[in-house]
Amino acid sequence: GQQVMQIPQYQHVQEGEDFTTYCNSSTTLSNIQWYKQRPGGHPVFLIQLVKSGEVKKQKRLTFQFGEAKKNSSLHITATQTTDVGTYFCAGLQAGTALIFGKGTTLSVSS
Amino acid sequence: KAGVTQTPRYLIKTRGQQVTLSCSPISGHRSVSWYQQTPGQGLQFLFEYFSETQRNKGNFPGRFSGRQFSNSRSEMNVSTLELGDSALYLCASSSVPGLAGPSTGEQFFGPGTRLTVL
């Protein structure tokens, strides 16, 4: 079945450093979504990417969708303590449900 | 608009019992999905309902079932509870542009029900 792999599982950075999480699917995706879950909270939608090679930015966050629509990345520039949480990618293959990666938990020390 | 609500928020059960969890989606959302979240496995898809029909199902045993009512509210039931069923159960709703096809919209998650099986 469809699998979505996400690495790394954990990442600790010093405040101000950059952070990247990668997402890979075993199959071609219709779209990919990214979510953030703060400690003790529930996942909150960040963005959806649909087109091959698409790049979207939200302030310090940059999201990319691979040319083959099988991989994606989330890059955070100059992390802040407010970026702490677990970042999930979720891939959709046509006709199936949204499948979540296991997430990357980011911790930031000041 | 009110967000997705889930009840109860916390639940403690013993092995062998059954449990029913409830989810009320955002008004106007017709798609409701359920996920099981555990530290080791992340977010695992249970099932998705749209217009009272189960549209997709994850790889969980038949002890896990669900349903959706005409007002889009959804319930999930777990029978014969096992220790491994301890988890956070999340419900998410989304608006679906068409009457058929997969939900591709943003998922709005509820706060979850924390189930502990003793």
Side-chain angles (χ1 to χ4, degrees), chain A residues 14-51:
Chain A
Q14 294 288 321
E15 191 172 22
E17 293 182 334
D18 292 356
F19 159 76
T20 305
T21 173
Y22 301 91
C23 188
N24 289 286
S25 169
S26 56
T27 57
T28 302
L29 300 170
S30 298
N31 67 50
I32 195 155
Q33 298 177 5
W34 286 90
Y35 291 79
K36 177 183 178 182
Q37 184 174 22
R38 295 181 185 273
H42 56 271
V44 174
F45 176 83
L46 293 176
I47 208 159
Q48 176 172 283
L49 304 172
V50 179
K51 299 177 184 175

Side-chain angles (χ1 to χ4, degrees), chain A residues 9-10 30-31 33 35 37 40-45 48 88 92-103, chain B residues 9 35 37 39-45 48 55-57 88 90 102-112:
Chain A
Q9 188 175 359
Y10 301 98
S30 298
N31 67 50
Q33 298 177 5
Y35 291 79
Q37 184 174 22
H42 56 271
V44 174
F45 176 83
Q48 176 172 283
F88 293 96
L92 182 71
Q93 186 182 24
T96 68
L98 202 59
I99 303 299
F100 281 76
K102 292 188 177 182
Chain B
R9 292 292 311 278
Y35 298 86
Q37 185 172 31
Q41 297 299 318
L43 274 163
Q44 292 190 285
F45 172 74
E48 179 193 8
R55 197 159 61 173
N56 283 299
K57 189 177 189 307
L88 180 66
L90 291 160
S103 168
T104 59
E106 170 183 353
Q107 300 280 305
F108 292 83
F109 283 85

Side-chain angles (χ1 to χ4, degrees), chain B residues 43-112:
Chain B
L43 274 163
Q44 292 190 285
F45 172 74
L46 281 155
F47 23 67
E48 179 193 8
Y49 286 87
F50 176 74
S51 291
E52 302 179 65
T53 301
Q54 186 180 89
R55 197 159 61 173
N56 283 299
K57 189 177 189 307
N59 193 23
F60 277 81
R63 300 185 296 108
F64 292 81
S65 63
R67 59 177 175 169
Q68 187 179 34
F69 302 95
S70 58
N71 61 358
S72 294
R73 190 176 70 84
S74 177
E75 288 181 348
M76 69 162 280
N77 184 277
V78 188
S79 63
T80 319
L81 284 166
E82 300 177 359
L83 295 179
D85 297 333
S86 294
L88 180 66
Y89 289 88
L90 291 160
C91 161
S93 73
S94 69
S95 59
V96 182
L99 293 178
S103 168
T104 59
E106 170 183 353
Q107 300 280 305
F108 292 83
F109 283 85

